[in-house]
Amino acid sequence: MINLILFGPPGSGKGTQAARLVEKYKLMHVSTGDLFRYEMGNDTPLGLKAKEYISKGELVPDEVTVGMLSNKLDMYPEAKGFILDGFPRNVFQSEALDKLLSDKNSAVTQLIALDVEEEEIVQRILKRAETSGRKDDADEGIIRNRIEVYKNETAIVFDYYEKANKAKRISGMGSIDEITNRLFEEIDSIL
Ligand code: ADP
């Protein structure tokens, strides 16, 4: 299996780029943010739980998130591999992911981080709010909190995979096409 983690702060373009990578490499895209939004849209118990945290820009508790991700991976036993977007978001989730994949005789192939300047991120998210309908995108206070959570809990996930020689950083600045091309180059070099 080829399992890629598309990593980076909120608004760094993970969802946009993941859609393009999926097409080229025929991997399954799994976005925990999208999964939560689907559950919230259907007012499921999981969605209602997630909403308590997402509306404040906080992380949804690990047991909820890891359980949901595990179910999703199990739904595609024939997959060639996964592109994970929005997961793992802390070290506990990284360890949980390694365990889930090793149970499938697999592992994380590579984490690729998109580097984007903080002010650019805030502007992108506010712009996305105009069309996304996401309440967590429309409020600058919530956005700033998401960025704080990223710095305090998520950024360290890069170091976790770097220790295993599996982490790479590329610039997430510039046009969408430019960034896609950087990703293609990076992924082609590891496959
Ligand atoms: P972003 O643009 O902030 O990266 P996402 O769509 O990936 O947005 O996630 C939206 C929200 O869903 C996050 O702010 C967080 O509250 C919740 N969430 C997504 N993934 C996770 C995760 N792995 N662990 C905990 N909470 C998560």
Side-chain angles (χ1 to χ4, degrees):
M1 283 173 97
I2 301 158
N3 299 305
L4 303 174
I5 300 172
L6 201 52
F7 189 73
S12 55
K14 301 183 295 286
T16 307
Q17 296 298 337
R20 294 171 165 219
L21 299 182
V22 160
E23 211 177 301
K24 180 164 159 102
Y25 299 102
K26 312 288 180 219
L27 302 170
M28 281 293 311
H29 179 202
V30 177
S31 156
T32 42
D34 287 350
L35 294 173
F36 284 134
R37 281 184 285 280
Y38 177 81
E39 300 286 337
M40 291 191 291
N42 288 298
D43 284 329
T44 64
L46 196 157
L48 294 173
K49 181 91 200 150
K51 196 180 238 163
E52 287 174 36
Y53 299 89
I54 292 180
S55 63
K56 291 184 266 179
E58 289 167 11
L59 295 186
V60 178
D62 287 331
E63 68 271 20
V64 177
T65 308
V66 172
M68 178 180 75
L69 181 95
S70 170
N71 288 338
K72 193 72 189 173
L73 298 187
D74 286 345
M75 279 168 69
Y76 301 97
E78 305 298 326
K80 209 178 126 187
F82 296 95
I83 294 185
L84 299 174
D85 148 14
F87 189 96
R89 253 177 159 97
N90 59 30
V91 169
F92 179 89
Q93 293 182 8
S94 307
E95 289 168 351
L97 175 64
D98 287 352
K99 172 86 175 61
L100 287 173
L101 290 175
S102 81
D103 289 347
K104 296 180 190 304
N105 293 317
S106 190
V108 168
T109 309
Q110 181 87 21
L111 174 150
I112 306 176
L114 296 172
D115 251 345
V116 184
E117 290 157 17
E118 183 160 335
E119 283 318 302
E120 165 84 10
I121 284 170
V122 176
Q123 294 317 314
R124 283 188 194 176
I125 296 176
L126 287 169
K127 183 144 197 341
R128 178 170 75 183
E130 293 168 12
T131 52
S132 70
R134 282 176 57 172
K135 290 202 184 74
D136 63 336
D137 280 353
D139 179 308
E140 192 165 334
I142 297 173
I143 297 172
R144 297 270 176 205
N145 195 39
R146 285 157 61 195
I147 294 174
E148 278 312 298
V149 170
Y150 177 82
K151 288 183 188 163
N152 294 334
E153 295 184 52
T154 307
I156 195 173
V157 167
F158 184 91
D159 307 79
Y160 177 89
Y161 286 102
E162 196 177 38
K163 285 194 189 105
N165 236 326
K166 289 184 174 182
K168 254 287 171 45
R169 237 178 245 293
I170 67 164
S171 167
M173 302 289 285
S175 74
I176 292 178
D177 282 344
E178 280 166 350
I179 300 161
T180 305
N181 285 329
R182 283 179 208 136
L183 283 166
F184 284 173
E185 252 180 57
E186 182 56 38
I187 297 169
D188 287 341
S189 78
I190 53 172
L191 295 187

